[in-house]
Amino acid sequence: MKLEELDFQGKNVLIRVDFNVPIKEGKVTDRNRIIAAVPTIKKVIEKGGRVILMSHLGRPKGQKNTDFSLSQIKEVVSEELGCSVNFMDDCIGNRIKDAINSTAQDSVTLLENLRFYAEEEKGDREFAKKLADLADVYINDAFGTAHRAHASTAVIADFFDAEHRAFGYLIQNELNAVEKLLSSPERPFTAIMGGAKISDKILLIENILDKVDHLIIGGGMSYTFFKAQGGEIGNSLVEEDKLDLALNLLKKAKEKGVEIHLPVDSIISSEFSNDADSDVADNMNIKEGWMGLDIGPKAVENFSKAVASSKTILWNGPMGVFEMSNFENGTKSVAEAIAKATENGAFSLIGGGDSAAAIRQFNYEDKVSYISTGGGALLEYLEGKELPGIVAIQS
Ligand code: AMP
């Protein structure tokens, strides 16, 4: 059932959120994930439910460790919700259950880090049952962990029937966005792939070749394609064991009628450093000892043209080392081209992780259609895999 259709009145509602936020010296340094969970939480409160929030934070490896305590984010959650939040120093057991049940019906409770128990990541059924015992209704709104078959993300759903479990808005929005992209995309459909390695994205590229009209490949992964075609790539990133695979992908793309756009040129550098000498080079002829750290001006022009003519766009992975100002231009230009195409009516989905960070860094976050909150989860979903956290609610 949909969130709107569930009855929350007078019920305890356990919401799995992704509050795995960066923390420095006890302070939350990026609260986007908390902000993203607010609509679901507010809806449950509005419909009379007592909200219980559960999440993981970092990798405490099944041990209690105050460095990973969710108590550190309590204030930020409270600020974003505009109400007080009760923090519980555990996430299961009768003591916690009684404490929750003695709080006001319209109050919000935040449980301690689920990963203080090794059972969480193991998907332990007993542990999932103990979590389920706290509530009448279960909502999963943690897209970032939907590809994991953990106790709180998948196994727990078994203890609630279809009238007592649902996705939160965040997951629902992610599913809608991917659905829009994969089921009946307006054409031309362009996928832009970047980042360091092809090996991380092979499955995605293979799956997406059946769907797209254009595939743009930039970033460190592009040099393996040039080397495979006999190019001199100097010290640029390369995966020697993926040369055949790169040629194979080019062949498959041709067979499927997908137009591949590789960057014809690069901004090259004598060292992996923002301060080293830089130059522009053709990607088949990079000087010995030099490395490509960003796409070059001709590539920017070609890629921007392909993006401008697109009606559906998927972007995953930066075009260069965008963390260094001298090598950010390619990534920034692609972000700008996507923003312009979106303004002209295209639907654009930005894959999580580095592309999302880049879109924010260059201030285009309000100018694209959807920024995914899931890195690995989105990749697996786009690869065509079933995500345990999604299946558990739907089945
Ligand atoms: P990924 O996690 O595979 O999406 O890769 C993202 C990382 O790839 C970013 O940190 C970029 O700095 C890095 N990257 C992108 N292009 C290059 C390049 N040409 N050489 C080295 N690193 C790159």
Side-chain angles (χ1 to χ4, degrees):
M1 282 172 91
K2 291 248 188 295
L3 186 76
E4 287 82 10
E5 296 161 353
L6 296 190
D7 175 20
F8 296 123
Q9 190 59 48
K11 302 214 157 85
N12 281 4
V13 182
L14 184 57
I15 311 179
R16 176 51 159 105
V17 287
D18 181 0
F19 284 173
N20 184 29
V21 292
I23 293 182
K24 235 186 199 159
E25 288 157 14
K27 294 258 176 295
V28 174
T29 56
D30 178 351
R31 55 174 70 188
N32 275 307
R33 286 184 169 162
I34 296 172
I35 294 170
V38 168
T40 298
I41 301 170
K42 285 206 163 152
K43 189 69 184 176
V44 174
I45 299 174
E46 185 193 308
K47 290 183 75 185
R50 182 194 266 134
V51 170
I52 308 162
L53 301 172
M54 59 174 174
S55 177
H56 72 286
L57 176 64
R59 296 178 186 275
K61 300 193 175 135
Q63 302 285 326
K64 279 195 179 161
N65 179 339
T66 50
D67 289 349
F68 299 103
S69 173
L70 278 166
S71 60
Q72 300 170 94
I73 72 161
K74 178 186 138 166
E75 283 314 316
V76 175
V77 177
S78 169
E79 273 169 38
E80 291 303 329
L81 287 174
C83 68
S84 70
V85 171
N86 314 300
F87 178 74
M88 300 286 157
D89 63 1
D90 203 344
C91 59
I92 50 169
N94 284 336
R95 182 175 63 86
I96 299 300
K97 192 172 173 174
D98 293 344
I100 293 169
N101 288 333
S102 67
T103 60
Q105 181 61 37
D106 62 352
S107 74
V108 171
T109 296
L110 174 63
L111 302 179
E112 182 54 289
N113 195 342
L114 296 160
R115 291 195 187 166
F116 284 0
Y117 289 89
E119 290 91 334
E120 161 65 358
E121 289 184 83
K122 285 185 190 144
D124 183 86
R125 220 178 145 74
E126 278 304 303
F127 180 70
K129 168 95 175 57
K130 285 181 190 162
L131 291 171
D133 278 346
L134 302 175
D136 308 298
V137 182
Y138 166 67
I139 306 282
N140 188 1
D141 210 14
F143 187 68
T145 46
H147 57 318
R148 309 280 183 221
H150 293 171
S152 71
T153 60
V155 184
I156 188 174
D158 264 1
F159 299 100
F160 298 88
D161 61 28
E163 278 75 48
H164 295 88
R165 65 179 191 224
F167 295 124
Y169 289 126
L170 184 59
I171 290 202
Q172 197 56 62
N173 290 342
E174 295 273 354
L175 298 184
N176 294 347
V178 175
E179 178 76 13
K180 198 160 175 177
L181 201 83
L182 299 185
S183 62
S184 50
E186 247 196 277
R187 298 196 175 273
F189 178 2
T190 299
I192 308 160
M193 297 289 144
K197 290 182 176 173
I198 313 183
S199 47
D200 293 341
K201 299 195 181 152
I202 297 167
L203 293 174
L204 171 57
I205 294 178
E206 282 183 341
N207 197 36
I208 214 83
L209 278 180
D210 285 328
K211 321 228 184 292
V212 298
D213 306 293
H214 298 269
L215 175 61
I216 293 176
I217 297 174
M221 69 160 76
S222 65
Y223 301 101
T224 300
F225 288 87
F226 286 100
K227 174 116 193 222
Q229 296 177 93
E232 300 287 342
I233 61 163
N235 282 348
S236 305
L237 273 188
V238 63
E239 286 172 273
E240 294 285 353
D241 59 336
K242 297 288 179 289
L243 297 175
D244 287 345
L245 182 121
L247 289 178
N248 205 14
L249 284 175
L250 294 178
K251 189 167 148 246
K252 268 194 195 158
K254 207 167 187 186
E255 284 163 8
K256 290 176 193 283
V258 175
E259 198 176 324
I260 295 256
H261 304 257
L262 282 163
V264 287
D265 56 356
S266 279
I267 307 290
I268 58 170
S269 180
S270 53
E271 275 173 60
F272 190 82
S273 154
N274 200 35
D275 309 316
D277 292 338
S278 64
D279 201 351
V280 176
D282 182 297
N283 271 348
M284 290 298 273
N285 277 305
I286 294 178
K287 293 182 267 197
E288 220 183 293
W290 287 59
M291 62 190 86
L293 292 184
D294 192 11
I295 56 172
K298 284 188 205 142
V300 165
E301 203 184 319
N302 295 344
F303 288 6
S304 300
K305 248 189 217 155
V307 170
S309 70
S310 305
K311 283 283 170 237
T312 304
I313 301 160
L314 166 68
W315 182 28
N316 189 287
M319 297 292 101
V321 186
F322 74 103
E323 299 93 334
M324 297 184 194
S325 59
N326 287 335
F327 308 107
E328 68 174 24
N329 183 56
T331 304
K332 192 174 180 177
S333 304
V334 162
E336 189 184 340
I338 296 172
K340 270 195 197 144
T342 311
E343 200 181 349
N344 292 330
F347 176 77
S348 53
L349 189 149
I350 313 303
D354 282 313
S355 322
I359 277 282
R360 293 202 172 94
Q361 182 174 319
F362 304 127
N363 291 320
Y364 290 115
E365 56 193 302
D366 298 328
K367 301 201 164 80
V368 295
S369 309
Y370 193 76
I371 303 177
S372 175
T373 55
L378 180 77
L379 281 187
E380 290 196 19
Y381 201 46
L382 291 170
E383 284 165 8
K385 289 187 185 147
E386 286 197 331
L387 307 189
I390 303 300
V391 177
I393 296 278
Q394 285 172 337
S395 57

